[in-house]
Amino acid sequence: MDEMTNGRDLAPVLDRVDRTLEASLERLFDFLRIPSISAQPAHAGDCRRAAEWLRDELAAIGLEASVRETAGHPMVVAHDRTADKSAGRLPHVLFYGHYDVQPVDPLELWETSPFDPRVVRDEAGARIVARGASDDKGQVMTFVEALRALKAEYGALPLRVSLVIEGEEESGGANLLPFLKANRDELRADVALICDTGMLDGGVPAITTALRGMVGEEITIHCANRDLHSGIYGNAARNPLELLSWILASVRDHDSGRVVLPGFYDGVQDPPAEVRDQWRAIAPSDAEFLGPVGLSVPAGERGYTAVEQTWCRPTFEINGISGGYAGDGFKTVLPAQASAKVSFRLVSGQDPVRIREAFRAHVRAMLPADCTVEFVGHGGSSASVVPADGPGLGATLAALGEEWGRPAVTIGSGGSIPVVSEVRQALDMDSLLVGFARDDDRIHSPNEKYDLVSFHKGIRSWVRVLEALARDRRFAG
Amino acid sequence: MDEMTNGRDLAPVLDRVDRTLEASLERLFDFLRIPSISAQPAHAGDCRRAAEWLRDELAAIGLEASVRETAGHPMVVAHDRTADKSAGRLPHVLFYGHYDVQPVDPLELWETSPFDPRVVRDEAGARIVARGASDDKGQVMTFVEALRALKAEYGALPLRVSLVIEGEEESGGANLLPFLKANRDELRADVALICDTGMLDGGVPAITTALRGMVGEEITIHCANRDLHSGIYGNAARNPLELLSWILASVRDHDSGRVVLPGFYDGVQDPPAEVRDQWRAIAPSDAEFLGPVGLSVPAGERGYTAVEQTWCRPTFEINGISGGYAGDGFKTVLPAQASAKVSFRLVSGQDPVRIREAFRAHVRAMLPADCTVEFVGHGGSSASVVPADGPGLGATLAALGEEWGRPAVTIGSGGSIPVVSEVRQALDMDSLLVGFARDDDRIHSPNEKYDLVSFHKGIRSWVRVLEALARDRRFAG
């Protein structure tokens, strides 16, 4: 493989990455041991600890690093200005990642403790297993370790680098946008490098250029003023669990799989035929997409492949329901209330504010006069699309292709990374979404993992990408 | 008030009940302090402790009392054979009650600890507050204290008395029927006196002559082989919470309020017009029935009053749903499974086995090919109706009327007390359901209570009822 990028020899840096992988892994393990679950107030101290740990690591590499307060969990911000400016203006990149992780329940499904990271080696390969291994601590450490190797080998980075690492990506992220706005002058760069996405199955490196937005809603329906005995009141008194089931079952048309909220599809367009054709060529088939998770019958919207449904179609999901008695045995209770957490994934053209209002109106219209509903909004972000001719895209694709030995592709993703639209809004910058996660990483699930090869070649990839961006005249201009 | 029943002066016994009420209350409090939650395996020891406590109390009164093993929680059985047989064959009654209680969650809604009983006195009157105060420890102690007062005053009871007190009424009660069958010769009597029901609102004493049966089912739907990220898989992968909502929402027709399972209403008949007219005369209106629990719009089946719906119409209830993330904040999980606990209340003519099968077939028919369902059956009992000319009914109505100073009535109840059909099946006996609970007792709910007057006059009622049954020549014959 050619270790030269526009004339500069990367072999010593890549060798250093290979040689020091064990130490890199030890540092990642230290990071993974901190249970920084941002959604759970009991872990607020752990979130701060993760931020401070990261600040100290970045400072040890030689960056100006600080922990910065917000109304919620703190931000980590760091800058490196060691790049040699003698050749003219250098490009400036802003790395983004998050140090917070998802909750770990159901804990009993974890094979080992979620905050006791380990490398498991079997016929499927070697993988790092822990909460946050893939989402997003492992990915964050790919670029931190790349910066470390470059600085250790050359004493300086090839371009100007800043980082902003947040602690609320998994819990609404309400404080990122105000923080970016308040620190616009400090954080504005030529492009944001966001490492929170994945590759295509089979190890094809990818830049994600289409991401869905999200609207999260928590609804609680109140009926009687106390829990009732279902024998004495059943049939005559409204059952909030049944009412909730009616409401949730009514959001999607069961035949077409389409969401029935008025105006839900306003502004939604199918991707151009050539994009759809390209996706069909590179994306897994329905069987390949669903088979690994034990499914075979595509749910959701008719007329689209499973991948199209997740990459470019909006949807409604129920993320949790609770109410009544869920313990051992049986309790013939008719509960006073029932709750659900639901979310909508949005595509380009949909307005999160209008979607939230349409859902709330739909729920209210189904409520009998003696019942009430409470709504709590969680997150709300538009879909984001990175332009095909965006800054640095070509150079990054080329660098990724060199590292992985196969052409890199641009793909869509069903997930939502609100930072993309927030960076656009607050800093007027485009983003490049480059990540090394795999579909089977079990992010948000028990036994989350990150392939050791993702971590190792992820570090190497960033070395190459940074060098390529530094030399990309179109980009630096 | 006339304290003479067929010539015997009850005044000394009733005076004793009044005089010793404080001591009776202390004993009930001891009983209530034992957290005998039969549905929760962690409380198995407490269930045994409650059984032993009751055995010791009955032995202290002078009964032959024992704790008897079953495959589950033990039974308490006691006999009294002190009655004077010189006047010929005496009637034999079998008291039934249960020492187990419902779970206490949601614990945070209890104003005081559920197993720290207290008497609360305010403008609403005096009430005993604790889990089990009404269902059923308070009611059990009404007849235990009546036996104590009669034996203390006269040294003997006026008729032959046996008791069987079970510990699994709130958790399926699977061991009662086999126990009754295995001990048929020992337990068979002229009538069972079951104290687990209530009065009409306004303090009208009542005998419950129609009870609904019950079928409980727990269903768990499995879709993907692990929890998924709702962004990556949402829309394309089946969401078990949505599927469960569809299934649960489909059991009842939303317009008519009727259950749609094929054959569900086979054999169901409206009560005769004169019974319906009588009920409409004595029963609370929809507003009176629903108002106290904070509701005003009758749910369920159209064309029936709220009371008719609960006394004589079958229904479907959802008692609990769980699945996905229900903790603080938000988690965009697409869970692998979702569960619900549901129950059907049955009326006369419905076969619990057929209803269970019809529900299971309905669920299976809605499952996509790549999803599975697990069923766990909980309880299954037919409705029971006590004949209007059943043994001792007239004498008991008269005795209750004397104690409460107003005519006693026969009523229906929406609840299910499987023991009625099990006593009929195993012991070939009719039952009389006499209880002093009130609709606002919050049984199965936080802050369960039993009015102090229910406890006090309940004891006095049993003194009168036992005397009346002893003197009822038609009954003793």
Side-chain angles (χ1 to χ4, degrees):
Chain A
M1 209 185 300
D2 178 11
E3 306 293 15
M4 310 288 284
T5 304
N6 290 319
R8 176 153 163 177
D9 185 6
L10 289 179
V13 192
L14 299 174
D15 284 350
R16 176 179 286 271
V17 170
D18 298 347
R19 268 196 333 268
T20 59
L21 184 63
E22 272 308 308
S24 300
L25 205 51
E26 278 309 314
R27 286 186 287 267
L28 172 58
F29 276 26
D30 285 345
F31 197 17
L32 290 170
R33 286 189 189 102
I34 306 171
S36 45
I37 303 170
S38 58
Q40 297 176 343
H43 288 284
D46 295 316
C47 289
R48 180 166 298 273
R49 206 147 57 83
E52 290 170 351
W53 182 92
L54 197 56
R55 174 200 60 195
D56 294 346
E57 282 300 311
L58 292 165
I61 298 172
L63 276 65
E64 302 158 21
S66 56
V67 167
R68 308 273 282 271
E69 298 308 318
T70 73
H73 302 306
M75 301 278 169
V76 179
V77 173
H79 300 287
D80 183 278
R81 297 188 180 91
T82 57
D84 175 9
K85 285 182 279 238
S86 60
R89 184 186 175 279
L90 282 171
H92 180 192
V93 297
L94 174 68
F95 274 105
Y96 165 88
H98 60 93
Y99 64 77
D100 64 320
V101 300
Q102 280 275 317
V104 296
D105 58 87
L107 192 56
E108 67 274 14
L109 295 185
W110 284 81
E111 283 158 18
T112 53
S113 171
F115 298 109
D116 181 15
R118 58 197 65 207
V119 173
V120 175
R121 292 170 204 273
D122 58 22
E123 65 281 2
R127 57 194 182 275
I128 302 155
V129 178
R131 170 57 85 228
S134 176
D135 182 19
D136 185 39
K137 288 173 174 172
Q139 305 238 59
V140 165
M141 292 307 283
T142 59
F143 56 75
V144 171
E145 295 296 333
L147 298 177
R148 184 191 309 273
L150 280 161
K151 299 240 334 173
E153 196 62 32
Y154 295 127
L157 297 180
L159 73 181
R160 191 170 155 208
V161 171
S162 297
L163 300 89
V164 59
I165 316 293
E166 75 160 315
E168 297 183 310
E169 200 273 344
E170 303 291 7
S171 58
N175 294 300
L176 181 64
L177 182 61
F179 185 84
L180 295 179
K181 284 182 173 168
N183 297 278
R184 177 182 160 95
D185 291 343
E186 176 184 355
L187 298 173
R188 188 158 149 61
D190 296 301
V191 75
L193 299 175
I194 296 175
C195 191
D196 200 14
T197 51
M199 305 173 68
L200 261 192
D201 260 357
V204 179
I207 299 179
T208 301
T209 54
L211 277 163
R212 291 195 289 191
M214 198 187 92
V215 166
E217 279 281 287
E218 191 169 344
I219 72 171
T220 302
I221 289 175
H222 300 271
C223 294
N225 56 18
R226 59 180 171 88
D227 285 0
L228 304 175
H229 185 297
S230 74
I232 295 175
Y233 288 93
N235 218 9
R238 186 74 53 185
N239 185 321
L241 287 166
E242 190 173 20
L243 182 54
L244 184 66
S245 298
W246 291 7
I247 290 171
L248 297 176
S250 73
V251 175
R252 189 194 292 273
D253 178 79
H254 300 203
D255 293 323
S256 67
R258 285 169 67 89
V259 173
V260 302
L261 300 182
F264 186 75
Y265 293 95
D266 286 0
V268 174
Q269 293 191 314
D270 282 338
E274 62 270 22
V275 172
R276 229 173 148 177
D277 289 346
Q278 189 203 340
W279 284 357
R280 292 206 173 180
I282 61 169
S285 68
D286 286 6
E288 287 165 345
F289 186 75
L290 293 173
V293 299
L295 295 172
S296 58
V297 182
E301 220 180 338
R302 307 299 176 272
Y304 295 91
T305 67
V307 164
E308 284 169 348
Q309 282 199 49
T310 61
W311 286 7
C312 68
R313 296 299 298 176
T315 188
F316 164 71
E317 292 297 331
I318 307 172
N319 304 111
I321 305 184
S322 63
Y325 183 68
D328 289 335
F330 209 87
K331 183 171 167 178
T332 52
V333 65
L334 197 172
Q337 63 178 65
S339 300
K341 294 179 204 273
V342 305
S343 55
F344 296 88
R345 297 283 172 169
L346 311 184
V347 301
S348 196
Q350 290 181 298
D351 175 359
V353 175
R354 283 186 55 197
I355 301 290
R356 192 189 300 283
E357 280 314 310
F359 174 69
R360 291 184 176 186
H362 179 82
V363 173
R364 288 197 187 98
M366 289 186 72
L367 276 193
D370 56 352
C371 300
T372 59
V373 62
E374 277 176 273
F375 297 99
V376 178
H378 290 273
S381 62
S382 306
S384 49
V385 174
V386 175
D389 57 352
L393 186 72
T396 303
L397 281 172
L400 290 171
E402 279 178 38
E403 173 59 29
W404 294 84
R406 52 201 305 178
V409 296
T410 59
I411 61 173
S413 165
S416 306
I417 305 186
V419 66
V420 178
S421 58
E422 292 172 355
V423 159
R424 156 68 44 210
Q425 189 182 341
L427 306 180
D428 195 24
M429 280 164 62
D430 280 315
S431 297
L432 280 174
L433 294 109
V434 178
F436 311 98
R438 302 293 294 266
D439 278 352
D440 65 353
D441 275 359
R442 300 174 177 267
I443 68 169
H444 296 204
S445 298
N447 307 309
E448 178 177 347
K449 63 90 174 163
Y450 195 47
D451 287 351
L452 188 56
V453 71
S454 289
F455 183 61
H456 182 186
K457 288 176 81 70
I459 301 169
R460 291 173 53 106
S461 295
W462 284 120
V463 170
R464 292 182 190 272
V465 169
L466 289 174
E467 283 289 340
L469 291 175
R471 309 292 156 214
D472 182 355
R473 286 299 122 193
R474 282 189 305 136
F475 176 54
Chain B
M1 208 184 301
D2 178 12
E3 305 294 13
M4 309 287 284
T5 304
N6 290 319
R8 175 151 163 179
D9 184 7
L10 288 179
V13 192
L14 298 175
D15 285 349
R16 175 180 286 272
V17 170
D18 297 347
R19 265 195 336 268
T20 59
L21 184 64
E22 272 308 309
S24 299
L25 205 50
E26 277 310 313
R27 285 185 288 267
L28 172 58
F29 275 25
D30 285 346
F31 196 18
L32 290 170
R33 286 188 190 102
I34 306 171
S36 46
I37 303 170
S38 58
Q40 297 175 342
H43 287 283
D46 295 316
C47 289
R48 180 166 300 272
R49 206 146 57 82
E52 290 171 349
W53 182 92
L54 197 56
R55 174 200 61 197
D56 293 347
E57 282 300 309
L58 292 165
I61 298 173
L63 276 66
E64 302 159 21
S66 55
V67 167
R68 308 272 282 270
E69 298 308 319
T70 73
H73 301 306
M75 301 279 169
V76 180
V77 173
H79 301 287
D80 182 278
R81 296 190 181 89
T82 57
D84 175 9
K85 284 181 281 240
S86 61
R89 182 185 175 280
L90 282 171
H92 181 190
V93 296
L94 174 68
F95 274 105
Y96 165 87
H98 60 92
Y99 65 76
D100 64 320
V101 300
Q102 281 275 316
V104 295
D105 57 87
L107 192 56
E108 67 275 15
L109 295 185
W110 284 81
E111 286 159 17
T112 53
S113 171
F115 298 109
D116 181 15
R118 59 197 65 206
V119 173
V120 175
R121 291 171 206 272
D122 58 21
E123 63 282 1
R127 56 192 184 277
I128 303 155
V129 177
R131 170 56 86 228
S134 176
D135 184 17
D136 186 42
K137 287 173 173 172
Q139 305 239 58
V140 165
M141 292 308 283
T142 59
F143 56 75
V144 171
E145 294 297 332
L147 298 177
R148 184 192 308 273
L150 280 162
K151 300 244 325 178
E153 196 62 33
Y154 296 128
L157 297 180
L159 75 180
R160 191 170 154 207
V161 170
S162 296
L163 299 90
V164 58
I165 316 293
E166 75 159 314
E168 297 183 309
E169 201 273 345
E170 304 291 7
S171 57
N175 293 301
L176 181 64
L177 182 61
F179 186 84
L180 294 178
K181 283 182 174 168
N183 297 280
R184 177 183 162 95
D185 292 342
E186 178 184 352
L187 298 173
R188 190 159 148 60
D190 295 302
V191 74
L193 299 176
I194 296 174
C195 191
D196 200 13
T197 52
M199 305 173 67
L200 260 193
D201 259 358
V204 179
I207 299 179
T208 300
T209 55
L211 278 164
R212 291 195 288 191
M214 197 187 91
V215 166
E217 280 281 286
E218 193 170 343
I219 72 171
T220 302
I221 289 174
H222 300 270
C223 294
N225 57 18
R226 60 180 171 87
D227 285 1
L228 303 175
H229 185 296
S230 74
I232 296 174
Y233 288 94
N235 218 10
R238 185 73 55 184
N239 185 319
L241 287 166
E242 190 173 22
L243 182 54
L244 185 66
S245 297
W246 292 7
I247 290 171
L248 296 177
S250 74
V251 175
R252 189 194 292 273
D253 178 79
H254 300 200
D255 293 323
S256 67
R258 285 168 66 90
V259 173
V260 303
L261 301 182
F264 186 75
Y265 292 96
D266 286 0
V268 174
Q269 294 192 316
D270 282 338
E274 62 270 24
V275 171
R276 228 173 146 176
D277 290 345
Q278 190 202 337
W279 283 358
R280 293 206 173 182
I282 60 169
S285 69
D286 286 5
E288 288 165 343
F289 185 76
L290 293 173
V293 299
L295 296 173
S296 58
V297 182
E301 222 180 337
R302 308 296 177 273
Y304 295 90
T305 68
V307 164
E308 284 169 348
Q309 282 200 50
T310 62
W311 286 7
C312 68
R313 297 297 298 175
T315 188
F316 164 71
E317 293 297 330
I318 307 173
N319 305 110
I321 304 184
S322 63
Y325 183 66
D328 289 336
F330 209 85
K331 184 173 167 178
T332 53
V333 65
L334 198 171
Q337 62 177 66
S339 299
K341 296 179 203 271
V342 305
S343 55
F344 295 90
R345 297 283 172 168
L346 310 184
V347 300
S348 197
Q350 289 180 299
D351 175 359
V353 174
R354 283 187 54 199
I355 301 291
R356 191 188 300 283
E357 280 314 310
F359 174 68
R360 292 183 175 186
H362 179 83
V363 173
R364 288 197 187 98
M366 289 186 71
L367 277 193
D370 56 352
C371 300
T372 59
V373 60
E374 277 176 274
F375 297 100
V376 178
H378 289 275
S381 62
S382 306
S384 51
V385 174
V386 175
D389 56 352
L393 188 72
T396 302
L397 281 172
L400 290 171
E402 280 178 38
E403 173 58 30
W404 294 83
R406 52 202 303 178
V409 296
T410 59
I411 61 173
S413 165
S416 306
I417 305 187
V419 64
V420 178
S421 57
E422 293 174 354
V423 158
R424 157 66 47 210
Q425 189 183 340
L427 306 180
D428 196 24
M429 280 163 62
D430 280 316
S431 296
L432 279 174
L433 293 108
V434 178
F436 311 98
R438 302 293 293 267
D439 278 351
D440 65 353
D441 276 359
R442 300 173 177 267
I443 68 170
H444 296 204
S445 297
N447 307 310
E448 178 177 346
K449 62 90 175 164
Y450 195 47
D451 287 350
L452 189 57
V453 70
S454 288
F455 183 61
H456 182 187
K457 289 175 80 70
I459 301 171
R460 289 172 54 104
S461 295
W462 284 120
V463 170
R464 292 182 190 272
V465 168
L466 290 174
E467 283 288 341
L469 291 175
R471 309 290 157 213
D472 182 357
R473 286 299 123 194
R474 282 189 304 135
F475 176 53

